[in-house]
Amino acid sequence: MPVPNVLAVYAHPDDESLVAGGVLARHAAAGARTAVVTATWAPDSHRAAELAEALAVLGAGEPRMLGYADLRVPGSAPGRARFLDAPLEEAVERVVAHLRDFRPDVVLTHDVHGSSGHPDHVRTHHVTLLAAHAAGHPTAYPQAGPPWQPTALYLSAHPESAGSGLAALLAGVGKRLHTVPDATVTAAVDVRPWMDRKWAAVRAHRSETARARSLPALLSGLSPADREDVIGTEYFVRRDLLPAVGALRELTP
């Protein structure tokens, strides 16, 4: 049975590794095509170089960067609009172009809460949701390439019953984890067999690991076993974009 090709769309460099690195590594190892679109930071920035290293570890190709500025780091894309300030139609069209170019079966992105509630995460959710629906319509954004309709959108989420470890970690630095009811989670992927690749990808984002209050830094302070407990399972809420295709598998085995 074919393994679905996966395109992930996340807000910042390192988001992809933290919440979907195991799924990306797993699918790449199984022969699927995988790639990542990142909404913020300039393609010539130090974080773009770190992202390229992380994606190489995960088997997810070259970075695909929209190049908008991070809300909280104005210098992340000099001369470019903040992602939150960019025209919605412009941002959606650019993601549509990546969807039509890569032609994924499955799209991964943030859920409506963005896990941490970061406005860039929430904006990425809305832009990707619109783009995933628009990509298959021939009259929508015709200049963005021939139509292509992914089958499903998987939203990275944290179920209430399994988020306590990560929530406690973030609470220690004054941050909040937004969880979702367990019943809404449709895929819980055990990525422990790919934990070495996932963690190596997270560590490739060295500038984030060096920031004491960042999640990569907090995770670095844990033992391997405790770290695996916190990020060794990746959770998603599925949103169908087309009726299920029998030849495609879910993210779970």
Side-chain angles (χ1 to χ4, degrees):
M1 187 176 293
V3 180
N5 298 318
V6 178
L7 181 69
V9 186
Y10 289 103
H12 309 112
D14 84 348
D15 291 336
E16 80 297 325
S17 299
L18 288 164
V19 298
V23 162
L24 290 168
R26 172 191 172 188
H27 279 243
R33 294 184 300 109
T34 62
V36 175
V37 174
T38 307
T40 65
W41 287 79
D44 60 351
S45 64
H46 70 279
R47 293 203 64 184
E50 293 171 351
L51 176 62
E53 185 177 333
L55 297 188
V57 170
L58 298 175
E62 296 296 321
R64 294 167 174 255
M65 306 187 74
L66 301 186
Y68 294 111
D70 184 319
L71 172 66
R72 296 171 182 164
V73 189
S76 56
R80 291 297 307 277
R82 298 187 311 174
F83 187 41
L84 284 184
D85 298 332
L88 181 61
E89 286 291 304
E90 173 191 292
V92 170
E93 179 176 351
R94 295 184 67 195
V95 175
V96 166
H98 282 289
L99 290 169
R100 290 176 175 173
D101 174 65
F102 188 76
R103 300 168 72 84
D105 302 307
V106 168
V107 179
L108 312 180
T109 194
H110 301 283
D111 74 353
V112 69
H113 306 293
S115 298
S116 66
H118 193 300
D120 285 342
H121 292 189
V122 175
R123 175 75 162 187
T124 302
H125 165 81
H126 291 306
V127 167
T128 307
L129 182 63
L130 291 171
H133 282 283
H137 290 272
T139 58
Y141 309 106
Q143 64 276 26
W148 173 261
Q149 184 63 70
T151 300
L153 190 66
Y154 279 85
L155 310 177
S156 294
H158 301 280
E160 292 170 349
S161 65
S164 58
L166 181 56
L169 201 62
L170 293 172
V173 292
K175 297 180 181 180
R176 177 189 172 192
L177 178 69
H178 295 259
T179 59
V180 300
D182 287 25
T184 66
V185 173
T186 50
V189 186
D190 180 0
V191 299
R192 288 174 296 176
W194 295 272
M195 193 66 188
D196 286 350
R197 292 189 195 179
K198 173 171 178 163
W199 184 236
V202 173
R203 293 285 294 172
H205 295 281
R206 286 176 288 276
S207 58
E208 283 299 285
T209 305
R211 290 195 314 111
R213 298 179 71 253
S214 74
L215 182 53
L218 296 173
L219 291 168
S220 294
L222 300 179
S223 70
D226 287 344
R227 187 161 53 240
E228 190 173 275
D229 286 343
V230 174
I231 60 171
T233 303
E234 294 172 357
Y235 300 95
F236 300 89
V237 177
R238 178 184 169 115
R239 293 287 182 264
D240 286 327
L241 299 171
L242 282 176
V245 178
L248 297 181
R249 295 192 322 187
E250 297 284 358
L251 290 179
T252 48

